[in-house]
Amino acid sequence: MISNKKIFFYNLLIIQILGLILMGTSGCAGAIFGPLFLLKGTDVPALFKKEVKEIPKESKIVVICRSSLNLFGDENPSGDLSRCITYLMEDKLSKKKFEWIPYDKVEESFDDESLMLESFSKMGKKVKADYVIGVDMDDFNIHLSSQFYQGRSKLNVKLIQVETGEIIAQNSMPQFIYPPTPIINTDIHSSEFQKKFIGKLANEVGSLFYPHDPHGNVAMDTDFPAR
């Protein structure tokens, strides 16, 4: 039988070997920290981890995004952002067995005026939800100038218990900017860039509710789910 001491030294040897491998590819820092990432992963816990854990299984949840900005038609990101966050939640929180109410039910129940005037809890009751993830958009712009794209947005995110109207969790998200370096607008159509930006913004909101990679928003590829 192998003793615990021998097992410890075997594990230590494996970590040292991995360190030597990474030293040749990623430098000394990678050699030191790489094995830890391999063993523990790079995801960080969700800010609302405790609150999400306390939501009963099979609860009905709806995501509602709204904005008081003068954004109309295809330029209004509220519907797309609501749908994208919902898709991500369905995927990342699938083990919770929640029922996610599609945003189409919100659009069927409320026009633009009532969407802004009604409280999130009242809207939740009307679509028969137990909880609402409410997102107020205080800023949204994809144009840095007439020649460059760079998305910017400010959001206030709330998790609300519909029956009591209680705000269980809340976070005001500072200005989210993506990509860090502006891109010239001749390389991509504005509607496509907006979709990419909404995908990244939805990931930022989702990171409040499920573990996430803090470096996951580096790539330019869209995160908007295909449905």
Side-chain angles (χ1 to χ4, degrees):
M1 181 179 292
I2 301 175
S3 67
N4 289 335
K5 185 179 286 188
K6 286 185 177 180
I7 292 173
F8 171 77
F9 282 112
Y10 288 151
N11 288 335
L12 184 61
L13 179 61
I14 291 171
I15 290 174
Q16 288 175 334
I17 292 170
L18 288 170
L20 290 171
I21 293 170
L22 286 169
M23 187 179 293
T25 57
S26 304
C28 295
I32 295 169
F33 296 110
L36 294 177
F37 290 152
L38 290 171
L39 294 173
K40 301 181 81 173
T42 60
D43 284 355
V44 297
L47 184 64
F48 297 163
K49 177 181 177 181
K50 177 178 176 291
E51 291 80 3
V52 172
K53 188 176 181 180
E54 291 174 350
I55 298 176
K57 285 187 177 181
E58 300 181 359
S59 291
K60 297 179 180 178
I61 308 176
V62 65
V63 179
I64 302 176
C65 302
R66 62 187 183 183
S67 172
S68 58
L69 305 171
N70 293 322
L71 300 169
F72 303 99
D74 293 338
E75 292 185 2
N76 189 341
S78 300
D80 278 345
L81 183 57
S82 299
R83 292 183 180 90
C84 194
I85 294 171
T86 302
Y87 298 158
L88 289 171
M89 296 292 189
E90 283 181 316
D91 178 39
K92 302 292 187 179
L93 298 176
S94 59
K95 292 182 180 178
K96 300 290 185 181
K97 307 298 182 185
F98 298 146
E99 181 180 337
W100 294 93
I101 298 172
Y103 188 70
D104 290 351
K105 285 203 171 185
V106 177
E107 290 186 322
E108 290 169 5
S109 303
F110 303 96
D111 57 25
D112 289 342
E113 184 176 359
S114 60
L115 191 66
M116 286 307 305
L117 296 177
E118 292 283 4
S119 67
F120 283 125
S121 58
K122 285 185 178 179
M123 287 189 279
K125 283 180 182 177
K126 192 161 184 179
V127 297
K128 297 181 169 47
D130 300 307
Y131 294 85
V132 174
I133 295 173
V135 181
D136 281 311
M137 193 179 305
D138 298 324
D139 182 28
F140 186 91
N141 198 338
I142 63 170
H143 299 281
L144 179 65
S145 68
S146 60
Q147 290 152 341
F148 290 94
Y149 293 127
Q150 188 178 52
R152 299 183 306 284
S153 186
K154 291 181 182 179
L155 305 175
N156 186 25
V157 183
K158 301 174 184 176
L159 175 62
I160 301 157
Q161 212 281 339
V162 170
E163 186 176 351
T164 63
E166 178 187 1
I167 298 174
I168 299 171
Q170 181 173 356
N171 188 55
S172 292
M173 303 177 71
Q175 190 170 68
F176 177 71
I177 299 176
Y178 187 84
T181 303
I183 62 171
I184 194 164
N185 58 16
T186 55
D187 293 341
I188 184 173
H189 191 273
S190 61
S191 60
E192 186 179 350
F193 177 81
Q194 178 162 310
K195 193 172 182 180
K196 289 177 182 292
F197 179 59
I198 288 172
K200 297 299 181 181
L201 192 56
N203 268 312
E204 196 74 3
V205 174
S207 69
L208 299 172
F209 296 88
Y210 50 75
H212 64 287
D213 180 353
H215 307 294
N217 264 333
V218 174
M220 183 59 205
D221 294 339
T222 182
D223 288 306
F224 199 100
R227 283 294 178 102

